[in-house]
Amino acid sequence: MSGGLLIAGTTSDAGKSVVTAGICRWLVRQGVKVAPFKAQNMSLNSFVTREGAEIGRAQAMQAQAARVEPTALMNPVLLKPGGDRTSQVVLMGRPVGEMSARGFFGTPGDPSAAGAPSGGDLRGGGREALLGTVLDCLERLRGTYDAVICEGAGSPAEINLRRTDIVNMGVARNAGLPVLVVGDIDRGGVFASFFGTVALLSPEDQALVAGFLVNKFRGDVSLLEPGLEMLHGLTGRRTYGVLPFRHGLGIDEEDGLRVSLRGTVRESAVSDPVGADILRVAVCAVPLMSNFTDVDALAAEPGVVVRFVDRAEELADADLVVVPGTRGTVKALAWLRERGLAGAIARRAAEGRPVLGICGGFQLLGEHIEDEVESRAGHVDGLGLLPVRVRFAREKTLTRPVGEALGESVEGYEIHHGVAEVTGGEAFLDGCRVGAVWGTHWHGSLESDGFRRAFLREVAAAAGRRFVPAADTSFAALREEQLDRLGDLIEEHADTDALWRLIESGAPQGLPFIPPGAPA
């Protein structure tokens, strides 16, 4: 059995995904064969592996940090929200049904209590079977790799969910993993959060919490050290590092637009354009927006400014409008109409000003949608900007297509229930183009450098801008540079010797119990 470590957090967005990726990159640079793992993820940002499985994009990026191919083993349970209280459950890369939060977490007496996924019956085997699937995946990874770095979800001290936990201490206790708790000091209250997290765990869970990692610290570390010493005295647990605040160190995280906008590419200052003009890109922030990381590759280009918008007037000065993917195509369509964005997009199309629809955004640009699966709304008229008719199928399309467009090679991935029938226009990937309106189901296509440059040249010409794409921008190289920065952060600011002992040997023996512990 190999070494392992679980990265928990005091809150969502404490930095678990980034720290996990950073540790993976640090370890692989030391010659360690390492893999990431997240038992259960809730995200609208997903990815398709080479075997056709859907997993969270954060785990795909962590696999890239570890320099291994992502697989469904690395994220066996993925929840894709479809509203405030329901999610699609994706098990081992395949959707197996829609569940309410109450049902998924197995509320006593609830007839929809979530179940175990062999055969796709969500009500059949309970959380125990889900936990069995999770632990089997983790065991298989640990049998293949020298180390597996696991990421928790939210906080391990959610006392209302501990009974059904399969991603935090539920995994740590069953697999005997040491736990490192990450806290975001930039939010404030990090000492109380560290202490409270441990103090709300049972004695058995506390025995696995080895210590803490401070994230996003600004200033002089020497001023923090007295507090870290007091924390050690209070909890008997050491701090394994203080990571400084660094702009643009996010990866493709899961919880929403607010998180993603702090990603490297979008947060970076826009470089001077190669040509005389910049290009302005407006991305419609539709409800249940998914895979909005598609536009990171646009923002990587010198002279391209990307912003997310939710008002019609914000489209006025845009050279390109992007309608991104969404888990609620019909809902997004209604939202565009309610806000006047639909009319503004239609006027742009009539004026020959560029519009790009990706996945759900492509579907709603078409003539009509037949949906008895996602929204169950039946026949819904689209925006009518592309000669496309969409029918939602119960089976989800999960593929990694390769093709050519605008004279350049393109790679992408598809994640959708909608099946598009293209009845006209000019072929464009799997979709079509009419004038300056493009539509495709292919996520990630703009990461193909040659295609992205060709597309931006088309946009600039249609927008009347003297914009010239840089000849040497490599999106893959930028991603690698970002992951190396994460590895540097761990190597330079964490006690890596102590981290390795933790991964190799588990939590220290004799860690004290901090009362009151978990409620009965």
Side-chain angles (χ1 to χ4, degrees):
M1 190 66 75
S2 73
L5 175 67
L6 188 139
I7 304 298
T10 55
T11 62
S12 293
D13 197 26
K16 298 184 292 292
S17 297
V18 166
V19 168
T20 300
I23 293 175
C24 285
R25 178 50 58 102
W26 160 64
L27 285 172
V28 78
R29 293 195 308 206
Q30 310 309 308
V32 177
K33 189 179 180 185
V34 60
F37 177 77
K38 184 162 185 172
Q40 175 190 302
N41 197 346
M42 178 172 281
S43 179
L44 287 172
N45 278 341
S46 58
F47 182 76
V48 179
T49 67
R50 294 211 177 274
E51 73 266 34
E54 184 179 7
I55 65 171
R57 275 197 65 94
Q59 281 60 67
M61 289 298 297
Q62 289 162 354
Q64 186 176 342
R67 296 180 181 148
V68 296
E69 189 67 33
T71 74
L73 293 175
M74 297 172 184
N75 180 207
V77 181
L78 173 64
L79 307 179
K80 301 193 73 175
D84 291 339
R85 296 186 179 182
T86 63
S87 292
Q88 182 181 68
V89 182
V90 179
L91 180 75
M92 295 303 294
R94 294 288 172 181
V96 292
E98 294 278 339
M99 290 294 292
S100 68
R102 179 181 174 88
F104 186 79
F105 288 105
T107 304
D110 185 348
S112 67
S118 61
D121 182 2
L122 288 176
R123 292 168 298 190
R127 298 284 287 184
E128 293 80 6
L130 276 178
L131 180 60
T133 298
V134 161
L135 294 175
D136 177 65
C137 290
L138 178 56
E139 183 178 0
R140 289 168 65 184
L141 288 173
R142 295 181 79 181
T144 304
Y145 293 91
D146 300 328
V148 178
I149 308 303
C150 307
E151 179 187 344
S155 161
E158 304 289 357
I159 54 179
N160 55 315
L161 302 178
R162 178 61 184 92
R163 181 181 61 84
T164 57
D165 173 40
I166 63 167
V167 63
N168 290 306
M169 302 310 300
V171 169
R173 198 195 298 186
N174 278 281
L177 294 173
V179 178
L180 199 61
V181 180
V182 178
D184 179 357
I185 197 170
D186 198 47
R187 294 182 172 189
V190 75
F191 293 116
S193 298
F194 281 146
F195 183 88
T197 296
V198 178
L200 282 176
L201 300 178
S202 68
E204 296 84 356
D205 287 348
Q206 285 194 25
L208 295 171
V209 178
F212 313 107
L213 190 68
V214 177
N215 193 27
K216 304 178 189 176
F217 179 71
R218 305 173 191 250
D220 185 347
V221 176
S222 66
L223 299 177
L224 187 66
E225 287 171 351
L228 300 179
E229 292 171 6
M230 286 185 271
L231 181 67
H232 184 271
L234 288 166
T235 66
R237 290 158 174 85
R238 58 166 298 179
T239 298
Y240 283 74
V242 177
L243 308 183
F245 187 96
R246 291 285 188 269
H247 286 284
L249 281 182
I251 63 172
D252 295 345
E253 300 184 67
E254 51 258 14
D255 291 328
L257 176 61
R258 181 182 60 82
V259 174
S260 183
L261 286 177
R262 290 206 291 273
T264 286
V265 176
R266 277 184 295 259
E267 192 177 74
S268 300
V270 177
S271 303
D272 292 336
V274 175
D277 291 339
I278 64 170
L279 275 186
R280 297 174 178 85
V281 178
V283 184
C284 296
V286 297
L288 299 174
M289 183 165 48
S290 62
N291 288 72
F292 43 83
T293 48
D294 283 332
V295 300
D296 283 348
L298 294 177
E301 286 286 345
V304 175
V305 181
V306 176
R307 66 181 188 273
F308 286 79
V309 304
D310 59 5
R311 295 181 299 178
E313 55 267 31
E314 293 178 293
L315 303 188
D317 67 343
D319 301 306
L320 170 66
V321 170
V322 176
V323 188
T326 170
R327 243 290 266 152
T329 304
V330 171
K331 184 175 183 178
L333 186 55
W335 180 87
L336 290 171
R337 286 178 168 138
E338 288 166 4
R339 290 180 167 262
L341 285 158
I345 291 170
R347 288 191 293 274
R348 288 183 63 88
E351 295 165 1
R353 301 175 65 197
V355 177
L356 171 64
I358 302 174
C359 200
F362 163 45
Q363 294 168 7
L364 60 80
L365 293 179
E367 296 168 354
H368 68 255
I369 297 168
E370 294 288 343
D371 182 10
E372 300 294 346
V373 176
E374 191 175 77
S375 68
R376 297 181 175 84
H379 181 97
V380 178
D381 289 334
L383 297 187
L385 304 182
L386 291 174
V388 176
R389 299 166 186 166
V390 176
R391 175 185 55 82
F392 273 67
R394 296 199 176 277
E395 289 296 315
K396 182 183 280 191
T397 297
L398 295 168
T399 63
R400 291 275 292 270
V402 176
E404 184 176 300
L406 305 179
E408 299 286 346
S409 297
V410 191
E411 295 183 15
Y413 57 100
E414 295 186 49
I415 306 170
H416 55 90
H417 283 281
V419 178
E421 178 190 359
V422 179
T423 60
E426 178 184 342
F428 178 71
L429 300 177
D430 71 326
C432 64
R433 169 188 182 178
V434 173
V437 180
W438 294 266
T440 177
H441 277 129
W442 289 24
H443 293 293
S445 60
L446 294 167
E447 296 180 19
S448 298
D449 297 327
F451 167 71
R452 182 181 64 254
R453 287 192 277 269
F455 176 72
L456 288 175
R457 282 192 289 269
E458 294 264 349
V459 168
R465 296 289 185 189
R466 293 172 298 167
F467 171 85
V468 178
D472 58 352
T473 301
S474 167
F475 189 74
L478 288 173
R479 284 292 198 200
E480 276 298 301
E481 183 181 304
Q482 178 188 30
L483 295 171
D484 275 332
R485 290 177 66 202
L486 294 178
D488 293 343
L489 200 69
I490 297 299
E491 190 167 341
E492 295 168 9
H493 299 282
D495 185 339
T496 52
D497 289 340
L499 265 183
W500 179 247
R501 286 195 298 272
L502 199 60
I503 292 167
E504 194 173 39
S505 304
Q509 297 297 306
L511 292 169
F513 171 72
I514 309 301

